[in-house]
Amino acid sequence: MLNIEQDKSLVNFNTFGFDAIAQSYLAVTSKAELTQAMAYIAQQGLAYQVLSGGSNLLISKYVAGLTLHMQIKGVSVVDENDEHVFVEVGAGENWHEFVEFCVSKEWQGIENLALIPGLVGASPVQNIGAYGVEIKDVLVSLKAYDFEQSRYVELVNQQCGFGYRDSLFKHTQGRYLITAVTFKLNKQPTINVKYKALQDYIDKTVKKEISIQDVFDAVCAVRASKLPDPSVIANAGSFFKNPCVTQQQFDQLLLEEPNIVGYSVANNEVKLAAGWLIDQCGWKGFSEKGVGVYEKQALVLIHTGGATIDDLLDLARKIQQSVFDRFAVQLEIEPQPFPLLANSQI
Ligand SMILES: Cc1cc2nc3c(=O)[nH]c(=O)nc-3n(C[C@H](O)[C@H](O)[C@H](O)COP(=O)(O)OP(=O)(O)OC[C@H]3O[C@@H](n4cnc5c(N)ncnc54)[C@H](O)[C@@H]3O)c2cc1C
């Protein structure tokens, strides 16, 4: 018997802390429960959506249909050799706790991704990344329920369509519900501290050979100094993606804005720092109607209380317009609408 709750408040399940009501809600704690839920959804012709840690969402005030809150746990070593360990992790495991666990085992590969909020099952959705590492670098495969084929499937890394803060899962309108992810981690550490802020912190604090634990500690310290803790100031991390322009556009921008921040990526493109663009337009520290721009990092929009998602989107539009007017660059919003439109219209 499924324990489906009606008219459930999601205010504590989204890090922006917006009031939202789910028409129906189910905490999914096992694959058996999920299979039962799938049969129920098909039988009732319901709309559905998948919720994990709620740290990357633009949540609607009313979420129609059934909200499946992923809580399937489990961490197991499925294979290993002298160099690598292969670990399968349930979608409902907390991401940061899993990173901590790997660091304690001296398994290297994800310590640069410490302190990213959310659950393991959502990590491939936007190919989470920080400090020079992305989930695609360590993900071997994942297990998912495919709503289109009405069966469980396994996708290997190359089938996931990973890009910058992007994957197949953002373009298939909720077709796949990820239940577990398998990672390949190194037993022979290769330390990655290419990012200046990390390197600076380590230079100051570590006087011996750098360990995985040192990198983890540096990432946690640097992040804590720049990003607001969602349990203190409601936010969803970076609100906009760093935009890419052509090298030609970048050269033109450089003529007008000699201090513009950008670095070359593939396909003759240059990635710009969205936070810098927003900061130049004077938004850092701005606030109105209970929403605002974080005073230490212009890329982070915050909810200080009493606002609605519409207030936040109004502010986002104003920021996008001012950046476009000054730099002719369109900023794209990173958090996902919840529910996804196509899905909720089923
Ligand atoms: C303070 C802060 C800092 C952050 N820093 C970073 C950062 O450095 N790098 C980065 O990449 N992100 C960052 N984020 C964004 C966010 O933490 C990540 O995107 C995270 O992976 C979202 O996980 P979640 O469990 O909260 O997902 P949710 O917000 O619950 O869901 C996000 C999307 O994934 C879908 N989804 C969730 N679970 C599943 C599943 N099991 N199967 C299929 N679809 C699913 C949802 O339907 C939704 O569309 C940050 C957020 C905050 C608040």
Side-chain angles (χ1 to χ4, degrees):
M1 180 72 178
L2 293 170
N3 183 20
I4 296 177
E5 298 172 58
Q6 306 300 330
D7 296 328
K8 171 94 171 170
S9 169
L10 301 180
V11 69
N12 293 323
F13 299 147
N14 73 101
T15 60
F16 261 128
F18 286 124
D19 280 328
I21 296 291
Q23 184 180 18
S24 307
Y25 167 94
L26 176 68
V28 181
T29 56
S30 69
K31 197 171 156 187
E33 208 170 16
L34 182 61
T35 306
Q36 234 188 310
M38 297 312 168
Y40 178 75
I41 286 169
Q43 195 187 35
Q44 303 287 320
L46 282 179
Y48 59 87
Q49 45 279 322
V50 190
L51 175 67
S52 283
S55 66
N56 210 26
L57 300 182
L58 297 174
I59 199 159
S60 299
K61 287 172 213 151
Y62 186 72
V63 182
L66 179 61
T67 295
L68 301 166
H69 199 180
M70 286 305 283
Q71 294 177 18
I72 299 177
K73 305 266 190 195
V75 178
S76 52
V77 172
V78 289
D79 199 3
E80 68 182 303
N81 55 37
D82 288 347
E83 288 171 22
H84 299 113
V85 57
F86 297 80
V87 194
E88 184 177 296
V89 190
E93 290 287 344
N94 177 283
W95 173 259
H96 177 71
E97 285 169 15
F98 173 58
V99 175
E100 261 182 325
F101 171 75
C102 294
V103 171
S104 75
K105 295 278 187 188
E106 300 195 0
W107 296 337
Q108 188 270 337
I110 53 175
E111 57 285 351
N112 293 42
L113 303 178
L115 229 54
I116 297 181
L119 306 185
V120 167
S123 63
V125 174
Q126 79 151 0
N127 179 24
I128 56 168
Y131 300 107
V133 175
E134 290 178 317
I135 199 89
K136 73 165 175 50
D137 304 330
V138 289
L139 183 146
V140 179
S141 61
L142 56 80
K143 291 178 178 163
Y145 185 84
D146 179 349
F147 285 93
E148 206 169 287
Q149 298 188 59
S150 303
R151 66 182 181 93
Y152 290 96
V153 295
E154 184 157 356
L155 302 181
V156 296
N157 183 309
Q158 294 73 13
Q159 292 174 295
C160 296
F162 289 127
Y164 165 64
R165 300 291 185 273
D166 200 20
S167 74
L168 164 80
F169 311 105
K170 279 195 175 177
H171 303 281
T172 42
Q173 304 290 357
R175 170 175 170 182
Y176 298 99
L177 189 160
I178 298 164
T179 56
V181 185
T182 298
F183 301 99
K184 178 182 172 185
L185 301 163
N186 298 316
K187 289 181 173 175
Q188 317 289 338
T190 15
I191 300 300
N192 175 353
V193 285
K194 279 180 289 189
Y195 261 68
K196 191 174 175 321
L198 280 193
Q199 187 66 65
D200 289 351
Y201 183 88
I202 282 177
D203 287 347
K204 266 191 254 150
T205 55
V206 182
K207 301 297 170 211
K208 51 182 175 49
E209 200 182 331
I210 305 167
S211 67
I212 302 171
Q213 182 71 51
D214 293 330
V215 178
F216 174 87
D217 291 344
V219 170
C220 291
V222 171
R223 287 184 70 98
S225 70
K226 287 187 181 167
L227 292 169
D229 175 350
S231 64
V232 181
I233 300 176
N235 77 93
S238 305
F239 194 83
F240 299 101
K241 293 185 186 182
N242 287 322
C244 282
V245 296
T246 61
Q247 183 66 50
Q248 198 183 10
Q249 253 177 303
F250 184 67
D251 293 341
Q252 187 59 41
L253 277 167
L254 260 182
L255 294 176
E256 292 149 28
E257 309 275 351
N259 296 323
I260 193 163
V261 182
Y263 53 97
S264 296
V265 289
N267 307 325
N268 202 28
E269 285 192 328
V270 178
K271 193 180 278 181
L272 306 178
W276 186 89
L277 301 175
I278 299 166
D279 199 5
Q280 296 309 298
C281 295
W283 289 104
K284 201 188 264 179
F286 175 88
S287 76
E288 71 176 4
K289 296 189 206 157
V291 291
V293 180
Y294 187 51
E295 60 191 5
K296 292 191 201 162
Q297 169 55 275
L299 197 49
V300 176
L301 300 196
I302 57 174
H303 173 205
T304 51
T308 65
I309 185 76
D310 296 332
D311 297 322
L312 183 81
L313 291 174
D314 276 351
L315 174 61
R317 275 188 283 271
K318 286 181 200 163
I319 293 172
Q320 284 172 315
Q321 190 62 53
S322 69
V323 167
F324 187 79
D325 291 346
R326 173 151 171 191
F327 300 102
V329 170
Q330 187 62 48
L331 291 182
E332 191 185 331
I333 292 176
E334 185 182 295
Q336 295 283 286
F338 189 85
L340 289 168
L341 205 57
N343 180 354
S344 65
Q345 286 174 339
I346 287 172

